[in-house]
Structure formats: C-alpha cells, structure tokens
Amino acid sequence: MAETFEITYLVTVQQGEQIDQKIEGICLEQSAELPRGVLSDEIQKKVVGEPIRQERLTEGAYEVTIAWPSADVGDDISQFINILYGNISLQPGIKIIGAEWAALHPRLFCGPKYGIQKLRKRYAVPERPMSATALKPMGSSASELADCCYRFARGGIDIIKDDHGLANQDFAPFEERVKACVSAIEKAAESTGRRSCYYPNVTSFASEAVDRYRKAAELGADGVLLCPHIAGLETMHRLARLDIDLPIIAHPSFSGGLTTIGKQGLSPDFLYGQLWRALGADFVIYPNKGGRFSFTLSECKAINEAARSGDSPFMSSFPTPGGGINMETVGHWKSEYGNDVVFLVGGSLYEHPEGIRTASELLQDKLKT
Amino acid sequence: MAETFEITYLVTVQQGEQIDQKIEGICLEQSAELPRGVLSDEIQKKVVGEPIRQERLTEGAYEVTIAWPSADVGDDISQFINILYGNISLQPGIKIIGAEWAALHPRLFCGPKYGIQKLRKRYAVPERPMSATALKPMGSSASELADCCYRFARGGIDIIKDDHGLANQDFAPFEERVKACVSAIEKAAESTGRRSCYYPNVTSFASEAVDRYRKAAELGADGVLLCPHIAGLETMHRLARLDIDLPIIAHPSFSGGLTTIGKQGLSPDFLYGQLWRALGADFVIYPNKGGRFSFTLSECKAINEAARSGDSPFMSSFPTPGGGINMETVGHWKSEYGNDVVFLVGGSLYEHPEGIRTASELLQDKLKT
C-alpha cells in the first residue's frame, strides 16, 4: 500500500452483526462506496481502507484501526472530514477515537500557531492556571459590554471573551463592540499596570469570519473566539494560517450531537482535544463536569490530556473547561487538572454580591495560591 | 414582545428533572446565558426566549414551543444556528422538531431556487419519479468516470452525480472530471435524443465551493452536489443565492450525529426536510429505510412530507432517498412515497450482470410504469 494515515474506531456490534463484516463495511463505505465484487484489484489496493489492528475490549466492543490511502484525501481537509466520519455518521455503533496526526501534518493540518508555552510568555503568566470569562448578556449595548469588560479587567481576569451569542446584532454591532471593549481593556490597564486580553467573537459565514478576524486585529483585540461547528471546521484552519497575530479560542456550540451520543460520534477527547488542536485552536473550550452539561470527569481529563499531549506533531492547545467553576470549586479543579488550564468562569462572577470587579480579584487570588 | 420566531422542541425529562425548569433553562441558555436573577427586566423582555406552548406527549416527554426575539439573530444564519441548537446541543433530552419558517423568510432564509415543478419542467419529466445515480468509485480516472457517466446516460438515468467522495484528488481532478463528464453527457444525448444531467461534487471550503460552483456552470454541468455539513450549512444558502443557474443536491455526509441520536439532536424531517429546504437545497438526499443506514419508514415519510409540504414559504425540495433501492424494490418505494421523489440508485446498477447501460434502461422502464 502507498502512503497512508490511520484512524482508530470504537466499533460496537449489535445482535446479528459480525465485527469483521462491520469493519469491511467501514473500509468500503468511506472510500469506493461499492461492494468489493465490482471493484478492480487496482481500485481495491488504491483507495479501500485496510484494517491493521483489532482488539476486543468487552462483549461486542472492539477498538479497530484502519489505514487509509493518503491519496483518498489529497490536500483537502473537507475530504478528510468525509473519510473520517461522512456516511458512517449515519450508522450506529461507530465512534472515532483517534487519528495518526503525524501522517497528516503538515500536509493537511498545522495545529495551533502558539502553544501553551508561547501563550504563557505572551501574557506573562509563567505558571499558574489562567482565567477567562465571557461578556454578556446578549441584548446589552456595546458600551454596557465595555463597562462589564472594564470591571473584569480591573479585577485582573486574564482573558475576557465575547459570549458566543454576540454576533453582529443591532444591540452591539461587531465593530462598535470591539472598539469599545479594546478601549475598556486599555483604560483598565492604565490603572492596574497589567493588560487583560479581549477576544471578540468572529463566528459567521467563512468569508465574514476571515473579515472579522482581520478587523479584530486592526482594532487592537488580543485574540478571537470562533464556533468552528457553525463557521465550518475548515474555517478555523484557515484563520490559524493567516498571517495575523491573534490566537483562537474554539467554542463547542452546535458540536454536542457529535460528542454526546454514546456509541456513535467522535469521542470528546478526539473532537475537542485532537481534531480542534489539529485545526489550529489555541484554546479549546469544553463543558466541564458539574456544570450545566454532561461530560464525566474522566472524559474531561482525557480532553486535557489530548490537548496538551507532547505525543503530537502540533503545538499544544490550552484546555479551557467551562461550567461548574467558581470561587469555591476552582481550587478543586486546579488539583484535578493541574496548572496548564484556563478556567472559564461566567455566571458566578456576575452573581457575586460584591460585584464583578471584586469577584474577579478574589478569583485571581485563588489562582495564584 | 417584539417580532419573534418560534422553535418547537421535543423535551424529555430524566428522573429528578422538572419540565418547567428544563424549559426555563433552554430560554436562558440560548440567549442571555446568565441566571435570570442577574438580568434586568429590559434584557429579560428583549432577548430571553418565551415558552408559548407545552403539550405532554407521554410520561416525561413534552412538545414545547418557544418564541425567540428576532433581534437575537439579526440577519445572520450562523447566529440562527447558535440559537437553534448551540449550547443545548451539549445537553441531553432536547430535540428540535420544528421552526416557524414564515417568520424567518425571506430575511434569513430564501429556500430552493427552483422547486419540484420548475425542476420537472426544466428536465421535461412531468409526472413520474426521477432517477439519480452516483459516479464512482473514487480512484477512477476522469475518463473512467466519464465512461461510466456515458453508460448511465445512454441508459437514460435522469441525474448522474459525482459520488460525494470525489473532491479534487489527483485520481480525477475537479476540472478535468467535469469536462470529461459533460462531454460524455453530450455524446450520449446525440444518440438518445434526450440529455441526462450531470451534477459534480463541489464540497470544499466555503470559498472554494463557490469557485467550483461557478466553474461547474462555466463547464456546462447541470447542477452540483454539496455536503452542507462539511462545507458549512451557510455555504449552501450562499450558493443558492448566487446568480448561477444550477440546482443543488444536498448530501448528508457528516450529519448523522445530529439526526440519529434518539432524544437529542434534530429530527430527520427537521434537518433534511425543513432546515436544508430553508437553506436552498433543491434535492435532499437522505438514507432510505432498508439501505445500509438506520432511518425508519415513518421517519423517511416525514422527511418527504417536510420537503414537499405546501405549508411552507419556500419552494419545495425534491426528496431523494438513497439506499436499499433497486430494480426489484423501486415499485414498492414508488407506492410508498408517491411520484414526487428522486430515487438514488447506486450499487445495484454497477452490480447488474448485463452492465450499467442495460440496468439503467430497465430502471427507467420501471419508473415509467
């Protein structure tokens, strides 16, 4: 076989299904999409996936690795997604859990531009976990959001991002909002002597996301937020490859169908920790255990591990758990997740009786100890 | 409340959950994303969703309609997707089953450019179901695919599309393939006196999909195939709005996570029949019952109904079931689905002992009776 890349699957067979048949089905479905009987020997060798490993985990559950000819994909990330989880997304009992990234880098994927160490240096936070929060609620004016941004910045929050629901609505149009929030960040820095970072949301149609990314840089923002499952997965890759010096926070909006469906989909650590990292996410937001969402502790730790792993051709991504993190619990999460993490804290700062600025200061104190 | 649009959900509560709390959770999660206690009255009125209907279906399952302020979305389809199924995609027990399209048209969505009646007229097929097939396997050269295209066209297949795995690989680069297949279609038409249609696959990054769509028109193709969940949902809307006279077939690759997950996701008729139609799909391919995939007969019929329904502000989409359809079963499917349908027949034409052309002729005969 010529040059290949490997994908690893968790394959579950139902009553009446045979594992070997199911694997053969994946090999054909995702390539020639015809029964083997009508394929020439040449086509079979040239395009059909080849199973190279199979391990029985429990009754009916197997970890399976298939090698795919690189020529099936060419230099096209869209076609990679198609091979990865195209038609088989419609079939039960097939879950993607790994990929051989070294064989896909740098031809297809280039990873994050910065990596945790460069981001720590850039923001002068050498060791402790970082903090992030979101500007909201939608419906506020640009100056109301900027005021909120100012108070978070005065309290020392490291990264202040737009809520992912802030797009270009009349309430607070993109450009007006970015200008106001950058000013707020600068004003706060004059008082504190340390600049917090502002990351506006650029999620939109692909070409507009590119325009907003450029505009954010022009207007002095420190990075951007993107929902890759809405803007398009490849949009993140394109932004990360532009010659614009702004890190990207990836947000999981609209991705839940892929990662929360038991025996189907992409494992959370594969999607948020591996694929997003490959696509260039500098920070990967994921729903933390105990928040409003539904991942388990071991799933969260697996995302962290995948995003930070040195066993990857890419720079690392900063794991950014959100949900269920507040002043009382942040110490617990620090001991669970270690220091190389950004804690996304939202509602509890807004709800604090002493106000946003004091709440932010208290949170920063907790991160330093 | 100001101008609104409605979304309808199937909400399932688990033990310990209260339905009213869960609905309140959706109303806040998808808008302000803060607890109600920290929101001003003005924000609550201006952006938070408002439940307007709740019907108990069975123990623990409710059909719920929420009205959302149109201002939350502005004129941005990306932000609509975010409100529709952004963060709640990560929560169990919430399924999208309907939207008030009349309130979203034409500000946000414009629907298909053609509709079934115009397509029937364009292709001079006034009444019977139409046929479609796919050029494959990947790995074939452009001239091999064109040869295959010629044989399908000689046999009278109405629409011959690229397999969705044909991108721009070295095997059969996009432009070379389109030229060769258009020639094959023309050559066959000289013999038969009737032109089959060729629809190349333009799935790629958004801007490249636009370029390939234009190029397909220039080179004489009759329409295009697009995988909207790979190219980006909004990409389909953008293609359909361009001043280019080529209908779009939408393919469900990478969408399965959304439609095959029980109590979560989007119902198949919502995604393929309603949302794709709103986004401009002239044909909606979906996995037919009895094929390699997993929809039920009633789910398939619901997709047909949604795609064709006159109770919509949009032109209709041609339901295009694929999988499990062959010479023997096509009569059965015709009686189940009616005439306003395109039957996507693949493998069985390739496998037919008398070859592709004869198999195609036999299939066309079945459609005419």
Side-chain angles (χ1 to χ4, degrees):
Chain A
M1 206 189 240
E3 198 193 327
T4 62
F5 63 91
E6 298 169 11
I7 302 285
T8 299
Y9 308 77
L10 180 62
V11 181
T12 315
V13 290
Q14 294 167 307
Q15 214 176 5
E17 281 187 317
Q18 299 298 323
I19 181 65
D20 290 338
Q21 254 178 1
K22 191 149 183 168
I23 295 170
E24 166 81 347
I26 298 172
C27 292
L28 290 168
E29 186 67 58
Q30 299 297 92
S31 58
E33 229 197 299
L34 279 173
R36 206 174 271 275
V38 303
L39 302 176
S40 69
D41 286 353
E42 191 204 343
I43 290 283
Q44 290 188 47
K45 274 194 203 127
K46 203 161 64 171
V47 308
V48 177
E50 188 184 328
I52 57 172
R53 199 174 63 83
Q54 173 179 331
E55 185 189 343
R56 185 173 172 284
L57 301 179
T58 59
E59 181 67 36
Y62 299 80
E63 194 172 304
V64 173
T65 300
I66 297 175
W68 296 97
S70 301
D72 287 4
V73 166
D75 56 2
D76 190 337
I77 287 180
S78 299
Q79 173 59 7
F80 174 82
I81 302 292
N82 200 16
I83 297 262
L84 179 76
Y85 197 58
N87 273 3
I88 56 170
S89 74
L90 293 149
Q91 294 179 328
I94 303 169
K95 191 169 194 124
I96 312 292
I97 58 173
E100 188 196 6
W101 298 110
L104 298 160
H105 165 263
R107 188 174 50 85
L108 233 62
F109 295 101
C110 302
K113 207 183 272 176
Y114 304 91
I116 293 176
Q117 287 319 311
K118 272 195 196 161
L119 289 167
R120 283 193 171 286
K121 214 167 166 183
R122 185 182 180 102
Y123 296 144
V125 182
E127 203 171 330
R128 64 166 171 82
M130 292 179 72
S131 61
T133 194
L135 296 178
K136 39 189 168 179
M138 180 205 293
S140 310
S141 68
S143 71
E144 285 164 342
L145 293 166
D147 176 58
C148 189
C149 185
Y150 177 76
R151 289 181 284 150
F152 281 124
R154 282 301 301 266
I157 296 291
D158 297 310
I159 297 175
I160 302 160
K161 70 170 190 65
D162 281 350
D163 188 36
H164 66 287
L166 301 181
N168 192 33
Q169 300 101 326
D170 290 340
F171 306 135
F174 179 76
E175 201 167 327
E176 187 187 337
R177 181 172 83 240
V178 177
K179 280 183 188 162
C181 291
V182 169
S183 293
I185 290 281
E186 285 167 357
K187 194 176 133 205
E190 283 169 22
S191 301
T192 62
R194 175 175 176 271
R195 185 188 165 101
S196 293
C197 299
Y198 169 59
Y199 279 56
N201 175 30
V202 299
T203 305
S204 186
F205 181 63
S207 59
E208 278 168 23
V210 170
D211 290 347
R212 289 186 194 170
Y213 186 56
R214 281 188 203 289
K215 184 53 90 177
E218 266 174 51
L219 297 177
D222 301 282
V224 297
L225 179 82
L226 184 78
C227 302
H229 293 262
I230 294 178
L233 284 173
E234 200 167 353
T235 302
M236 187 150 70
H237 168 84
R238 302 276 165 145
L239 294 190
R241 302 276 72 73
L242 292 173
D243 191 19
I244 293 176
D245 188 24
L246 292 190
I248 298 167
I249 301 180
H251 187 287
S253 181
F254 198 55
S255 72
L258 283 165
T259 52
T260 59
I261 48 176
K263 296 169 180 170
Q264 243 177 297
L266 316 180
S267 70
D269 63 296
F270 179 81
L271 180 61
Y272 306 119
Q274 295 185 50
L275 184 58
W276 281 13
R277 181 179 176 181
L279 288 163
D282 296 292
F283 302 84
V284 298
I285 296 181
Y286 66 84
N288 192 38
K289 178 185 185 294
R292 304 183 299 271
F293 306 97
S294 46
F295 289 145
T296 64
L297 182 61
S298 68
E299 286 173 323
C300 293
K301 287 187 169 180
I303 296 169
N304 296 347
E305 171 56 25
R308 300 188 294 215
S309 165
D311 187 21
S312 163
F314 308 121
M315 305 291 259
S316 52
S317 300
F318 239 129
T320 307
I325 303 169
N326 56 41
M327 228 89 68
E328 285 68 45
T329 63
V330 73
H332 164 74
W333 292 117
K334 197 173 146 180
S335 68
E336 287 284 4
Y337 294 163
N339 274 354
D340 276 346
V341 65
V342 179
F343 290 117
L344 178 58
V345 184
S348 67
L349 299 177
Y350 285 89
E351 289 181 292
H352 198 277
E354 293 181 60
I356 282 178
R357 178 176 158 185
T358 304
S360 301
E361 286 169 350
L362 292 169
L363 180 74
Q364 291 303 111
D365 286 345
K366 297 266 182 185
L367 294 178
K368 285 172 189 161
T369 56
Chain B
M1 204 186 235
E3 199 192 323
T4 62
F5 63 90
E6 297 169 12
I7 303 285
T8 298
Y9 307 79
L10 181 62
V11 181
T12 314
V13 290
Q14 295 168 306
Q15 213 175 8
E17 281 188 317
Q18 300 297 323
I19 181 65
D20 290 337
Q21 256 179 358
K22 192 149 184 169
I23 295 170
E24 166 81 347
I26 299 171
C27 292
L28 290 168
E29 186 67 56
Q30 298 297 93
S31 57
E33 227 197 301
L34 279 173
R36 206 174 271 275
V38 303
L39 301 177
S40 68
D41 286 353
E42 191 205 342
I43 291 283
Q44 290 188 47
K45 273 193 204 128
K46 204 160 66 170
V47 308
V48 177
E50 186 183 330
I52 56 172
R53 200 174 62 82
Q54 173 180 330
E55 186 189 342
R56 185 174 173 283
L57 301 178
T58 60
E59 182 67 35
Y62 299 81
E63 195 173 303
V64 173
T65 301
I66 296 174
W68 296 96
S70 301
D72 287 4
V73 166
D75 56 0
D76 190 337
I77 287 179
S78 300
Q79 173 58 8
F80 174 82
I81 301 294
N82 200 16
I83 297 263
L84 180 76
Y85 198 57
N87 273 3
I88 56 170
S89 74
L90 294 149
Q91 294 178 327
I94 303 169
K95 191 167 196 126
I96 311 292
I97 59 173
E100 188 197 6
W101 298 109
L104 297 160
H105 166 262
R107 190 174 49 86
L108 234 62
F109 295 100
C110 302
K113 207 183 273 176
Y114 304 92
I116 292 175
Q117 287 320 311
K118 272 193 197 162
L119 289 167
R120 283 194 172 287
K121 212 164 168 185
R122 187 182 178 101
Y123 296 144
V125 182
E127 202 171 332
R128 63 166 171 83
M130 293 179 69
S131 61
T133 194
L135 296 178
K136 38 190 173 181
M138 180 204 293
S140 309
S141 68
S143 72
E144 285 164 342
L145 293 166
D147 175 58
C148 192
C149 185
Y150 177 77
R151 289 182 285 150
F152 281 123
R154 282 300 302 266
I157 296 290
D158 297 309
I159 297 176
I160 302 159
K161 69 169 189 68
D162 281 349
D163 188 36
H164 66 287
L166 302 180
N168 192 33
Q169 299 101 325
D170 289 342
F171 305 135
F174 178 77
E175 200 166 328
E176 186 187 336
R177 181 173 83 241
V178 177
K179 279 181 189 162
C181 291
V182 168
S183 293
I185 289 281
E186 285 166 357
K187 193 176 133 203
E190 283 168 23
S191 301
T192 62
R194 175 176 175 270
R195 185 187 166 101
S196 294
C197 299
Y198 169 59
Y199 279 55
N201 174 30
V202 299
T203 304
S204 187
F205 181 63
S207 58
E208 279 167 25
V210 169
D211 290 348
R212 289 186 194 169
Y213 186 56
R214 280 187 204 289
K215 183 54 87 177
E218 266 173 52
L219 296 176
D222 301 281
V224 298
L225 179 82
L226 184 78
C227 302
H229 293 262
I230 294 178
L233 285 173
E234 201 168 351
T235 302
M236 187 151 69
H237 167 83
R238 302 274 166 147
L239 293 190
R241 300 277 70 74
L242 292 173
D243 191 21
I244 292 176
D245 188 24
L246 292 190
I248 299 167
I249 302 180
H251 188 287
S253 181
F254 198 55
S255 72
L258 284 166
T259 51
T260 59
I261 48 176
K263 294 169 183 171
Q264 243 177 296
L266 315 180
S267 70
D269 64 297
F270 180 81
L271 180 61
Y272 306 118
Q274 295 185 49
L275 184 57
W276 281 13
R277 181 179 177 183
L279 287 164
D282 297 293
F283 302 83
V284 298
I285 296 181
Y286 66 84
N288 192 38
K289 178 185 186 294
R292 304 182 299 272
F293 305 97
S294 46
F295 289 144
T296 65
L297 182 61
S298 67
E299 286 173 322
C300 294
K301 287 187 169 180
I303 297 169
N304 297 346
E305 171 57 25
R308 299 187 295 214
S309 165
D311 187 20
S312 163
F314 308 122
M315 305 292 260
S316 52
S317 301
F318 239 128
T320 306
I325 302 169
N326 55 41
M327 227 89 70
E328 285 68 45
T329 62
V330 72
H332 163 74
W333 291 117
K334 196 172 147 181
S335 68
E336 287 284 1
Y337 294 163
N339 274 354
D340 276 345
V341 66
V342 178
F343 290 116
L344 178 57
V345 184
S348 66
L349 299 177
Y350 285 90
E351 289 180 293
H352 198 277
E354 292 181 61
I356 282 177
R357 177 176 159 184
T358 304
S360 302
E361 286 168 350
L362 292 170
L363 179 74
Q364 291 303 110
D365 286 345
K366 296 267 182 185
L367 294 179
K368 285 172 190 159
T369 53

